[in-house]
Amino acid sequence: MLGLMMAEPLRVAGILEHAAKWHADTEIVARLPEGGIHRYTYAAAHRRAKQLAKALLRLGVAPGDRVGTLAWNTHRHFELYYGVAGIGAVCHTVNPRLFPEQLVYILNHAEDRLLFFDLTFLPLVERLAPICPQVEKWVLLAGPEHLPAQSALPGLCSYEDLLSAERADYAWPLFDENTACSLCYTSGTTDQPKGVLYSHRSTVLHALAACLPDSLGCAALDVIMPVVPMFHVNAWGLPYAAPIVGAKLVLPGAGMDSASLYELFESEGVTFSAGVPTIWLALLQFMREGHRQFSTLRRTVVGGSSCPPALMTAFEDELHVTITHAWGMTETSPLGTGARLTAKHKGLSAAESLPIRAKQGRVVYGVDMKIVDDEGIALPHNGMAFGDLLVRGPWVVRDYFGSGTPGELTADGWFRTGDVATIDPDGYMQITDRSKDVIKSGGEWISSIDLENLAISHPAVAEAAVIGVPSARWAERPLLIVVRRPGLDVSAKELLAFFKGKVARFCEPDAVEFVDQLPHTATGKLLKTQLRKDFAGYAVA
Ligand code: ADP
């Protein structure tokens, strides 16, 4: 027997429709890449998303067509999220920080028909256009006054011209909630980028889960600024979660440097933010240098790579901002876990609860996970046994877009994350490493993340990476690569001594190298494939 409830399909456009009706005058504020601040409301955003939808239909965009974006976090990018998905087309957010050859690969693989780009990326798209012939039309996300006097970009026009030719009299169509709405490629940290094709259903369910208090925890009282880019797994769902709860949304545009971010945090009264550790490490340094404090920021979610416990403590003690550690991946929309405390931890001091909060955390309802050994046998949740992390749920990938090969699923339908993890009796998952980064030394596994977290707690260390280098006796041994904090000195010998007694002896790094900077991926993660190349053949003395 079927239930007798209304069967309205979950659709992305319904989120903005809701915000426009029930949080009509709540603001969306954006720093514009072409300069200045733009300010309007959910009601106005909804009208413009409808104008965009009509413009796309006029240009012949059909359901299922991919529409690419090379854009920062702005109100126009927000409109694209809703306008493109709203007509049943697919909003393909492309990470402009990728290497040009990866960009070309992704644009051609996705077969984007239209491409919307910010002014910042004009020189980039001029180079890409000749090698991406399937893009019929390039749209500059700005007013016509910013169009170049001359350009060979096919069909080039300005976004504002496109919109102003349309009225907002449009009703979002109804369609199956399993229809694709957006596409995001993995950043290719360990492999060729792979496309993850989200559905309206997966996106809405994920956004609802993101709002839960123990997840990202969004509310109408919040002023939310996603520092995580809208091209990095849909800014972790915040452009959907904020309108669901009716929170003010602040979008930092191209101003990703600490000074610009800080200015916006303060001027817009931001209470809650999210981003990868590198952003917060840089911001911490900036705050310290100027003896600055936040007046409204109270909470931030940090994920994408492991958040060093020392960063959490510094933010809490010095800046009075709580960091919630979270884990996820492009393939999981991305939200998988969040490390907030439970009732049984009441009364613990910040220092006592730090080891719990520093883990990647507990699953969000909707996601299930387990750890397995090489034979696929489930391992116990004792916080010690580590194995391959498998996940499943309604916002976890089944197959990659246009891959022609099956995804990373086990025979019984779990997704192989490629991460190695432990799960403790309270359900807190901790990533030991990516399986490709773990250091295999004499039959034992050494977590590069543990060593990096420890290194960064040394006062003279700004950033650290640990990779395995070949060893005749042990197969691999850990090499620590360090960027020193400006003006502070530390020797290799002192750093090696720092590890003594803090980790098992076989885990202590064998050597330290100092560099001016570490290579990062397009999403701000340590690029260990590069480091392994740079230090190929490294011989430990
Ligand atoms: P890519 O796979 O190309 O790096 P993703 O952004 O999808 O792109 O990366 C997902 C991976 O990032 C995860 O599988 C995991 O290895 C790592 N990751 C994400 N969040 C965390 C975290 N909080 N701690 C440690 N690793 C993390």
Side-chain angles (χ1 to χ4, degrees), residues 187-189 232 304-306 325-330 360 419 434 525:
S187 53
T189 307
H232 186 196
S305 46
S306 178
H325 194 192
W327 168 91
M329 53 198 312
T330 312
Q360 278 69 14
D419 285 333
R434 283 195 150 190
K525 301 175 195 213

Side-chain angles (χ1 to χ4, degrees), residues 47 50-51 54 166-171:
R47 283 194 295 275
K50 288 181 172 189
Q51 286 172 277
K54 286 182 68 182
E166 302 294 341
R167 291 183 30 218
D169 55 340
Y170 180 70

Side-chain angles (χ1 to χ4, degrees), residues 410-425:
T410 61
D412 56 347
W414 291 76
F415 173 74
R416 293 191 187 90
T417 64
D419 285 333
V420 179
T422 60
I423 301 176
D424 74 18

